[in-house]
PDB file of all heavy atoms in Angstrom:
ATOM      1  N   HIS G 181     -26.374  12.666 -61.844  1.00  0.00           N
ATOM      2  CA  HIS G 181     -27.435  12.354 -60.915  1.00  0.00           C
ATOM      3  C   HIS G 181     -26.777  12.325 -59.533  1.00  0.00           C
ATOM      4  O   HIS G 181     -25.721  11.570 -59.312  1.00  0.00           O
ATOM      5  CB  HIS G 181     -27.975  11.040 -61.102  1.00  0.00           C
ATOM      6  CG  HIS G 181     -28.805  10.970 -62.422  1.00  0.00           C
ATOM      7  ND1 HIS G 181     -29.681   9.777 -62.648  1.00  0.00           N
ATOM      8  CD2 HIS G 181     -28.996  11.798 -63.507  1.00  0.00           C
ATOM      9  CE1 HIS G 181     -30.200  10.027 -63.888  1.00  0.00           C
ATOM     10  NE2 HIS G 181     -29.804  11.150 -64.378  1.00  0.00           N
ATOM     11  N   PHE G 182     -27.283  13.109 -58.664  1.00  0.00           N
ATOM     12  CA  PHE G 182     -26.785  13.192 -57.270  1.00  0.00           C
ATOM     13  C   PHE G 182     -27.850  12.749 -56.348  1.00  0.00           C
ATOM     14  O   PHE G 182     -28.966  13.239 -56.337  1.00  0.00           O
ATOM     15  CB  PHE G 182     -26.267  14.581 -56.881  1.00  0.00           C
ATOM     16  CG  PHE G 182     -25.076  15.002 -57.678  1.00  0.00           C
ATOM     17  CD1 PHE G 182     -25.133  15.807 -58.757  1.00  0.00           C
ATOM     18  CD2 PHE G 182     -23.747  14.548 -57.288  1.00  0.00           C
ATOM     19  CE1 PHE G 182     -23.983  16.188 -59.463  1.00  0.00           C
ATOM     20  CE2 PHE G 182     -22.601  14.913 -57.994  1.00  0.00           C
ATOM     21  CZ  PHE G 182     -22.800  15.743 -59.112  1.00  0.00           C
ATOM     22  N   TYR G 183     -27.481  11.858 -55.387  1.00  0.00           N
ATOM     23  CA  TYR G 183     -28.478  11.361 -54.433  1.00  0.00           C
ATOM     24  C   TYR G 183     -28.140  11.893 -52.970  1.00  0.00           C
ATOM     25  O   TYR G 183     -26.982  11.860 -52.619  1.00  0.00           O
ATOM     26  CB  TYR G 183     -28.436   9.816 -54.476  1.00  0.00           C
ATOM     27  CG  TYR G 183     -29.428   9.096 -53.411  1.00  0.00           C
ATOM     28  CD1 TYR G 183     -30.794   9.364 -53.577  1.00  0.00           C
ATOM     29  CD2 TYR G 183     -28.923   8.343 -52.420  1.00  0.00           C
ATOM     30  CE1 TYR G 183     -31.627   8.710 -52.805  1.00  0.00           C
ATOM     31  CE2 TYR G 183     -29.854   7.742 -51.561  1.00  0.00           C
ATOM     32  CZ  TYR G 183     -31.209   7.903 -51.805  1.00  0.00           C
ATOM     33  OH  TYR G 183     -32.077   7.316 -50.843  1.00  0.00           O
ATOM     34  N   SER G 184     -29.072  12.292 -52.149  1.00  0.00           N
ATOM     35  CA  SER G 184     -29.026  12.638 -50.842  1.00  0.00           C
ATOM     36  C   SER G 184     -29.465  11.528 -49.958  1.00  0.00           C
ATOM     37  O   SER G 184     -30.696  11.312 -49.873  1.00  0.00           O
ATOM     38  CB  SER G 184     -29.809  13.934 -50.489  1.00  0.00           C
ATOM     39  OG  SER G 184     -29.516  14.943 -51.433  1.00  0.00           O
ATOM     40  N   PRO G 185     -28.440  10.728 -49.294  1.00  0.00           N
ATOM     41  CA  PRO G 185     -28.945   9.605 -48.521  1.00  0.00           C
ATOM     42  C   PRO G 185     -29.711   9.988 -47.309  1.00  0.00           C
ATOM     43  O   PRO G 185     -30.528   9.111 -46.816  1.00  0.00           O
ATOM     44  CB  PRO G 185     -27.613   8.898 -48.236  1.00  0.00           C
ATOM     45  CG  PRO G 185     -26.657   9.985 -48.300  1.00  0.00           C
ATOM     46  CD  PRO G 185     -27.003  10.903 -49.398  1.00  0.00           C
ATOM     47  N   ASP G 186     -29.519  11.143 -46.790  1.00  0.00           N
ATOM     48  CA  ASP G 186     -30.189  11.495 -45.449  1.00  0.00           C
ATOM     49  C   ASP G 186     -31.595  11.849 -45.663  1.00  0.00           C
ATOM     50  O   ASP G 186     -32.382  11.820 -44.652  1.00  0.00           O
ATOM     51  CB  ASP G 186     -29.435  12.676 -44.788  1.00  0.00           C
ATOM     52  CG  ASP G 186     -29.193  13.871 -45.840  1.00  0.00           C
ATOM     53  OD1 ASP G 186     -28.620  13.530 -46.903  1.00  0.00           O
ATOM     54  OD2 ASP G 186     -29.386  15.026 -45.441  1.00  0.00           O
ATOM     55  N   ASN G 187     -32.057  12.357 -46.827  1.00  0.00           N
ATOM     56  CA  ASN G 187     -33.441  12.729 -47.054  1.00  0.00           C
ATOM     57  C   ASN G 187     -34.032  11.998 -48.253  1.00  0.00           C
ATOM     58  O   ASN G 187     -35.252  12.198 -48.627  1.00  0.00           O
ATOM     59  CB  ASN G 187     -33.703  14.213 -47.092  1.00  0.00           C
ATOM     60  CG  ASN G 187     -32.732  14.844 -48.268  1.00  0.00           C
ATOM     61  OD1 ASN G 187     -32.403  14.170 -49.159  1.00  0.00           O
ATOM     62  ND2 ASN G 187     -32.460  16.118 -48.067  1.00  0.00           N
ATOM     63  N   GLY G 188     -33.339  11.107 -49.015  1.00  0.00           N
ATOM     64  CA  GLY G 188     -33.868  10.311 -50.045  1.00  0.00           C
ATOM     65  C   GLY G 188     -34.204  11.099 -51.328  1.00  0.00           C
ATOM     66  O   GLY G 188     -35.012  10.672 -52.223  1.00  0.00           O
ATOM     67  N   LEU G 189     -33.520  12.255 -51.541  1.00  0.00           N
ATOM     68  CA  LEU G 189     -33.776  13.138 -52.669  1.00  0.00           C
ATOM     69  C   LEU G 189     -32.806  12.880 -53.854  1.00  0.00           C
ATOM     70  O   LEU G 189     -31.561  12.620 -53.599  1.00  0.00           O
ATOM     71  CB  LEU G 189     -33.744  14.632 -52.253  1.00  0.00           C
ATOM     72  CG  LEU G 189     -34.675  15.145 -51.350  1.00  0.00           C
ATOM     73  CD1 LEU G 189     -34.501  16.559 -51.056  1.00  0.00           C
ATOM     74  CD2 LEU G 189     -36.161  14.860 -51.821  1.00  0.00           C
ATOM     75  N   LEU G 190     -33.321  12.787 -55.019  1.00  0.00           N
ATOM     76  CA  LEU G 190     -32.463  12.613 -56.215  1.00  0.00           C
ATOM     77  C   LEU G 190     -32.461  13.925 -57.048  1.00  0.00           C
ATOM     78  O   LEU G 190     -33.458  14.534 -57.341  1.00  0.00           O
ATOM     79  CB  LEU G 190     -32.967  11.493 -57.083  1.00  0.00           C
ATOM     80  CG  LEU G 190     -32.185  11.044 -58.335  1.00  0.00           C
ATOM     81  CD1 LEU G 190     -30.797  10.541 -57.859  1.00  0.00           C
ATOM     82  CD2 LEU G 190     -32.880  10.081 -59.168  1.00  0.00           C
ATOM     83  N   HIS G 191     -31.218  14.308 -57.355  1.00  0.00           N
ATOM     84  CA  HIS G 191     -31.051  15.611 -58.104  1.00  0.00           C
ATOM     85  C   HIS G 191     -30.383  15.432 -59.440  1.00  0.00           C
ATOM     86  O   HIS G 191     -29.662  14.534 -59.643  1.00  0.00           O
ATOM     87  CB  HIS G 191     -30.153  16.557 -57.306  1.00  0.00           C
ATOM     88  CG  HIS G 191     -30.413  16.575 -55.840  1.00  0.00           C
ATOM     89  ND1 HIS G 191     -31.295  17.466 -55.220  1.00  0.00           N
ATOM     90  CD2 HIS G 191     -29.904  15.833 -54.803  1.00  0.00           C
ATOM     91  CE1 HIS G 191     -31.324  17.229 -53.936  1.00  0.00           C
ATOM     92  NE2 HIS G 191     -30.498  16.201 -53.618  1.00  0.00           N
ATOM     93  N   LEU G 192     -30.854  16.130 -60.471  1.00  0.00           N
ATOM     94  CA  LEU G 192     -30.296  16.096 -61.768  1.00  0.00           C
ATOM     95  C   LEU G 192     -29.627  17.415 -62.054  1.00  0.00           C
ATOM     96  O   LEU G 192     -30.155  18.505 -61.966  1.00  0.00           O
ATOM     97  CB  LEU G 192     -31.361  15.856 -62.822  1.00  0.00           C
ATOM     98  CG  LEU G 192     -30.934  16.003 -64.307  1.00  0.00           C
ATOM     99  CD1 LEU G 192     -29.758  15.102 -64.712  1.00  0.00           C
ATOM    100  CD2 LEU G 192     -32.141  15.885 -65.243  1.00  0.00           C
ATOM    101  N   VAL G 193     -28.363  17.403 -62.585  1.00  0.00           N
ATOM    102  CA  VAL G 193     -27.702  18.588 -62.966  1.00  0.00           C
ATOM    103  C   VAL G 193     -27.211  18.380 -64.437  1.00  0.00           C
ATOM    104  O   VAL G 193     -26.575  17.341 -64.722  1.00  0.00           O
ATOM    105  CB  VAL G 193     -26.529  18.909 -62.086  1.00  0.00           C
ATOM    106  CG1 VAL G 193     -25.781  20.169 -62.580  1.00  0.00           C
ATOM    107  CG2 VAL G 193     -26.848  19.113 -60.669  1.00  0.00           C
ATOM    108  N   GLU G 194     -27.591  19.261 -65.311  1.00  0.00           N
ATOM    109  CA  GLU G 194     -27.304  19.244 -66.768  1.00  0.00           C
ATOM    110  C   GLU G 194     -26.351  20.388 -67.087  1.00  0.00           C
ATOM    111  O   GLU G 194     -26.805  21.516 -66.802  1.00  0.00           O
ATOM    112  CB  GLU G 194     -28.485  19.107 -67.676  1.00  0.00           C
ATOM    113  CG  GLU G 194     -29.380  17.907 -67.483  1.00  0.00           C
ATOM    114  CD  GLU G 194     -30.324  17.704 -68.712  1.00  0.00           C
ATOM    115  OE1 GLU G 194     -30.080  18.415 -69.777  1.00  0.00           O
ATOM    116  OE2 GLU G 194     -31.152  16.922 -68.570  1.00  0.00           O
ATOM    117  N   VAL G 195     -25.292  20.142 -67.668  1.00  0.00           N
ATOM    118  CA  VAL G 195     -24.337  21.225 -68.100  1.00  0.00           C
ATOM    119  C   VAL G 195     -24.290  20.970 -69.608  1.00  0.00           C
ATOM    120  O   VAL G 195     -23.986  19.894 -70.129  1.00  0.00           O
ATOM    121  CB  VAL G 195     -22.950  21.174 -67.572  1.00  0.00           C
ATOM    122  CG1 VAL G 195     -22.155  22.313 -67.949  1.00  0.00           C
ATOM    123  CG2 VAL G 195     -23.074  21.089 -66.017  1.00  0.00           C
ATOM    124  N   PHE G 196     -24.611  22.029 -70.376  1.00  0.00           N
ATOM    125  CA  PHE G 196     -24.679  21.993 -71.849  1.00  0.00           C
ATOM    126  C   PHE G 196     -23.936  23.057 -72.612  1.00  0.00           C
ATOM    127  O   PHE G 196     -23.639  24.102 -72.013  1.00  0.00           O
ATOM    128  CB  PHE G 196     -26.072  21.926 -72.404  1.00  0.00           C
ATOM    129  CG  PHE G 196     -26.807  23.207 -72.066  1.00  0.00           C
ATOM    130  CD1 PHE G 196     -26.767  24.313 -72.990  1.00  0.00           C
ATOM    131  CD2 PHE G 196     -27.560  23.418 -70.915  1.00  0.00           C
ATOM    132  CE1 PHE G 196     -27.489  25.456 -72.727  1.00  0.00           C
ATOM    133  CE2 PHE G 196     -28.266  24.529 -70.675  1.00  0.00           C
ATOM    134  CZ  PHE G 196     -28.188  25.544 -71.520  1.00  0.00           C
ATOM    135  N   GLN G 197     -23.501  22.723 -73.748  1.00  0.00           N
ATOM    136  CA  GLN G 197     -22.785  23.778 -74.626  1.00  0.00           C
ATOM    137  C   GLN G 197     -23.442  23.656 -76.086  1.00  0.00           C
ATOM    138  O   GLN G 197     -23.248  22.634 -76.745  1.00  0.00           O
ATOM    139  CB  GLN G 197     -21.258  23.533 -74.667  1.00  0.00           C
ATOM    140  CG  GLN G 197     -20.608  24.638 -75.587  1.00  0.00           C
ATOM    141  CD  GLN G 197     -19.120  24.445 -75.618  1.00  0.00           C
ATOM    142  OE1 GLN G 197     -18.596  23.327 -75.508  1.00  0.00           O
ATOM    143  NE2 GLN G 197     -18.362  25.475 -75.846  1.00  0.00           N
TER     144      GLN G 197
END
Side-chain angles (χ1 to χ4, degrees):
H181 294 189
F182 293 99
Y183 181 64
S184 306
D186 50 310
N187 55 26
L189 297 179
L190 183 65
H191 317 269
L192 167 62
V193 180
E194 294 197 13
V195 185
F196 63 89
Q197 181 182 28

